[in-house]
Amino acid sequence: MKKFVSKAIICASVTALLLTGCGSGTNTGSTASSTAGSSSVEAQKSDITFPLKEKATLTAFVMTPYSGENGDYTNNYVTDYLEKEQNIKIDFKYSVTGDDGKTKLNLLMASGETLPDIFLSTKWSKAETTLYGKQGLIIPLNDYLKDAPNWNELNKVSPLRLGDITMPDGNIYCYGDDNECFHCMYQSRMWIYKPWVDKLAGGKIPATTDELYTFLKAVKEKDPNGNGKADEIPFTGNIAAGGWATDPTTFITNAFIQNNNILSNTNPVVGAGFVVNNGKVEYQFTKDEYKDALIYLNKLYKEGLLDSQAFTQNADQQKATVQGTPQLAAMAPGGWWPCNTDALVKEQEGSYQDWVVLEPVKGPKGVQLAAYYPTNYFQSNYGLVSADCKNPELAVKFFDLLASQEMTLITQNGPKGIAWDYVSEGTSIAGGEAKWKKIPAKKLRSSQIPDYTDEGLNFVKYVWDPDAVMTHNTNDFRLSQYCANPKTSVEALLYQCGKAYSKYKPDDSTMLPNLAYTEEDAKKIADYTVSIGKFVNQATVQFITGDLDINTWQTYVDKINSMDLAGYLAIQQNAYDQYAKSLGK
């Protein structure tokens, strides 16, 4: 295994996105790699198993939403467990949050001071990560990861993971996460009010755009709420910030063209508006199929079938409409139920059961797709090793420990036997054999963290922030959680929603992955996202409402081209080619 030489003093330009400067310090590597050949390194690596035979310490940096002067991690059950049960002390030199945390991290990297051994989470972009790797401030983990069994297992069960955490130079600087959420991959869902389907369509759920139009028209004209007023709202939604996938356009457009864009959402979308067609990156919003989708949506809008408030109201206003008395709405989008879910949260039967997921409908040309959002395994940039770490093998082995199933349950829930436990019987969320279950907490302190003082434990926190630690939350493992009643379990019902939509998943090869860009290209991508992306989203709404005449479509396309769509595509294509090359595709 190659040695890592002392890192050079490298001065980089200061950009708006990243503060860098002259760094110094010495990377001594591991004792084994500094004093012996690669065979000794292999022997040293194979000897590192947890719990450790002798106590070891790793200094650490973590970027976390948790606040406080290191208290949340130093006075923490997980940190205590690692030291007492696994014989490794994690000394949190830096526990930072928010914009102030980013500033502190940038200054640390530019200071020339000795860096902590590990970074649990930095929230760096891929461009920033690659830059720090080139500067020699963090080290490639490729060789160390070969002897990391959990890491290798995760790559097997999550085929897109390795490509997501491999940088264009072929190096892997971060361990990466595996926090898969099956139903979140199909978050752009549509909900339909089943009692009105029974009343107006004989119980037949609409399966095509034509059938959907017929149903919505019946809602408007046949007074299904029976109050003698034409007050029904066939189809509502909202694009205001704070709504989870409540954009009414995403579901409909996928009956005409593959589209994972959400006009406004709390969750960033990777590759919004792009597809990969036989290795070529294409932009969907200038294609005639997208125009056809807008014509259909405009028809719904003009006839009063699509709520005129759908593009101006916020999430609270939409909820008030859906939950009004008498019943007003027949259909609404969202990753969560659009109605009152108080009973659901308590896992009891209730009126929310009248709302069912509407599976993707088939368009006039046979297109029938679900908007699909692959897992982001890079996430907040989990698990990096600094060039000042004297034992990189230990650091990577520690990351691999955290990514085990049991440590995932501990870091995410707390003590075994108190917050969670294994089970040998019962049904899982996915309907199979359950492997583990959560144990309801006796008390709640803050952020739903259990207070276990009755058992002699008294910590500020009992978990590590899920946005600041690598996990083994694969779909299969998450869905193996015990489920008492699949008809009222939130997780079980969300799984059923995802399962219904997964039948219409576009091929993974068509999805633009979470690409790594150079620092310069990353800035250009951010600019294009604002200029072209914002223009497209605004024009989409205007075409639907009729503020823009669909006959001016070519003018719209020409405008996008004049905003340098070719340059946008060229950067995406180059980054995709590098991605494919790094994976040997």
Side-chain angles (χ1 to χ4, degrees):
M1 184 177 295
K2 75 174 185 179
K3 299 178 183 179
F4 293 99
V5 298
S6 298
K7 62 178 182 284
I9 298 177
I10 302 175
C11 293
S13 60
V14 179
T15 70
L17 296 176
L18 175 64
L19 287 173
T20 59
C22 297
S24 64
T26 302
N27 168 32
T28 60
S30 69
T31 303
S33 62
S34 298
T35 60
S38 60
S39 60
S40 297
V41 172
E42 293 299 328
Q44 171 74 6
K45 287 167 63 178
S46 63
D47 286 341
I48 299 177
T49 57
F50 286 94
L52 298 176
K53 296 177 181 177
E54 297 182 5
K55 182 170 290 188
T57 299
L58 289 172
T59 56
F61 172 99
V62 63
M63 176 78 77
T64 167
Y66 290 172
S67 60
E69 291 295 328
N70 299 342
D72 294 331
Y73 277 86
T74 57
N75 186 13
N76 186 294
Y77 168 76
V78 178
T79 307
D80 184 72
Y81 168 87
L82 288 167
E83 183 171 359
K84 290 183 178 178
E85 302 298 330
Q86 300 296 338
N87 221 15
I88 183 164
K89 177 179 175 60
I90 307 301
D91 181 7
F92 285 98
K93 297 294 185 183
Y94 302 90
S95 179
V96 299
T97 186
D99 292 338
D100 183 55
K102 294 178 184 178
T103 301
K104 288 180 180 178
L105 176 56
N106 288 336
L107 291 174
L108 171 65
M109 300 307 290
S111 67
E113 298 177 2
T114 299
L115 299 174
D117 296 320
I118 61 173
F119 298 85
L120 276 183
S121 169
T122 64
K123 300 195 184 302
W124 286 334
S125 68
K126 290 187 177 183
E128 291 170 313
T129 302
T130 302
L131 179 60
Y132 283 131
K134 288 181 179 179
Q135 289 182 340
L137 298 175
I138 56 175
I139 65 172
L141 307 182
N142 305 47
D143 290 333
Y144 303 111
L145 289 168
K146 293 176 182 178
D147 191 46
N150 288 318
W151 186 84
N152 286 287
E153 178 190 349
L154 290 172
N155 290 338
K156 288 180 181 179
V157 298
S158 303
L160 298 178
R161 184 177 187 274
L162 181 60
D164 201 357
I165 60 178
T166 302
M167 298 299 104
D169 60 6
N171 284 324
I172 300 168
Y173 295 103
C174 72
Y175 185 98
D177 193 25
D178 205 311
N179 190 20
E180 294 176 333
C181 172
F182 179 69
H183 71 84
C184 298
M185 296 179 184
Y186 307 96
Q187 58 184 287
S188 290
R189 295 186 277 270
M190 187 65 68
W191 302 85
I192 192 166
Y193 190 62
K194 186 63 164 55
W196 286 1
V197 175
D198 296 338
K199 187 173 184 178
L200 301 173
K204 185 181 186 304
I205 299 287
T208 67
T209 50
D210 286 343
E211 290 178 2
L212 181 60
Y213 171 79
T214 299
F215 170 73
L216 296 176
K217 195 167 180 64
V219 170
K220 182 174 178 60
E221 297 176 350
K222 296 185 177 181
D223 190 27
N225 66 12
N227 68 348
K229 300 178 182 178
D231 54 0
E232 287 82 0
I233 300 173
F235 178 14
T236 191
N238 81 82
I239 62 171
W244 178 23
T246 50
D247 170 17
T249 71
T250 313
F251 175 87
I252 297 295
T253 54
N254 274 279
F256 296 83
I257 189 171
Q258 184 176 332
N259 175 25
N260 68 339
N261 187 45
I262 300 177
L263 294 185
S264 182
N265 196 20
T266 53
N267 296 341
V269 174
V270 172
F274 292 95
V275 297
V276 180
N277 186 1
N278 293 321
K280 181 183 177 182
V281 179
E282 298 178 352
Y283 195 58
Q284 298 293 76
F285 301 140
T286 57
K287 294 181 178 180
D288 287 342
E289 293 85 351
Y290 191 66
K291 175 184 175 183
D292 292 339
L294 298 182
I295 291 173
Y296 179 85
L297 283 162
N298 173 250
K299 178 182 179 181
L300 298 183
Y301 188 88
K302 284 193 303 184
E303 297 185 20
L305 307 183
L306 174 57
D307 190 358
S308 62
Q309 303 301 311
F311 303 109
T312 57
Q313 68 184 355
N314 59 33
D316 288 338
Q317 290 169 322
Q318 176 192 316
K319 193 172 183 179
T321 296
V322 174
Q323 296 179 176
T325 303
Q327 178 71 30
L328 296 177
M331 199 167 78
W336 184 258
W337 285 258
C339 56
N340 186 303
T341 54
D342 291 345
L344 173 60
V345 172
K346 298 176 183 177
E347 300 205 347
Q348 299 172 353
E349 294 191 1
S351 60
Y352 69 89
Q353 293 170 315
D354 289 333
W355 288 87
V356 298
V357 158
L358 173 63
E359 294 186 10
V361 294
K362 183 181 294 185
K365 295 182 180 179
V367 177
Q368 189 175 18
L369 294 170
Y372 174 52
Y373 308 92
T375 298
N376 179 354
Y377 299 95
F378 184 78
Q379 293 276 0
S380 298
N381 197 12
Y382 303 107
L384 302 96
V385 179
S386 82
D388 290 320
C389 179
K390 293 182 173 58
N391 196 339
E393 293 93 351
L394 174 63
V396 174
K397 284 285 190 177
F398 171 64
F399 296 157
D400 210 51
L401 168 68
L402 292 178
S404 67
Q405 291 182 356
E406 181 154 318
M407 275 307 306
T408 295
L409 290 170
I410 291 172
T411 59
Q412 302 298 282
N413 299 287
K416 179 178 180 290
I418 299 175
W420 67 274
D421 213 337
Y422 294 112
V423 295
S424 57
E425 59 183 10
T427 303
S428 71
I429 290 171
E433 182 179 344
K435 295 182 179 179
W436 62 279
K437 69 175 181 179
K438 291 184 180 181
I439 301 174
K442 296 180 180 179
K443 302 176 183 178
L444 294 178
R445 177 172 289 187
S446 62
S447 302
Q448 296 187 334
I449 306 300
D451 179 352
Y452 295 129
T453 54
D454 291 348
E455 283 73 24
L457 304 175
N458 187 15
F459 297 99
V460 173
K461 295 287 184 184
Y462 294 87
V463 299
W464 276 6
D465 170 30
D467 290 333
V469 62
M470 58 288 298
T471 61
H472 195 110
N473 276 325
T474 62
N475 278 327
D476 286 346
F477 184 61
R478 285 180 65 141
L479 295 173
S480 67
Q481 180 183 344
Y482 170 78
C483 171
N485 185 350
K487 292 183 179 180
T488 57
S489 164
V490 173
E491 289 296 328
L493 291 172
L494 286 172
Y495 166 72
Q496 292 299 329
C497 293
K499 186 177 180 181
Y501 272 51
S502 67
K503 296 180 291 185
Y504 308 96
K505 181 181 82 69
D507 192 272
D508 283 325
S509 66
T510 66
M511 305 302 298
L512 190 71
N514 183 23
L515 298 172
Y517 307 99
T518 65
E519 185 180 3
E520 180 181 357
D521 283 348
K523 185 177 184 303
K524 290 180 179 178
I525 287 291
D527 291 340
Y528 285 130
T529 300
V530 172
S531 59
I532 294 179
K534 185 176 181 180
F535 172 74
V536 167
N537 286 351
Q538 289 176 339
T540 292
V541 173
Q542 290 174 320
F543 278 127
I544 293 170
T545 61
D547 291 336
L548 274 179
D549 190 334
I550 201 66
N551 292 320
T552 64
W553 178 258
Q554 189 56 49
T555 302
Y556 155 84
V557 172
D558 292 342
K559 176 66 175 178
I560 294 175
N561 287 328
S562 73
M563 299 170 81
D564 197 24
L565 176 60
Y568 197 4
L569 283 166
I571 292 176
Q572 299 284 26
Q573 186 68 59
N574 180 64
Y576 179 79
D577 290 343
Q578 292 295 322
Y579 161 86
K581 182 179 179 181
S582 71
L583 295 180
K585 293 184 178 181

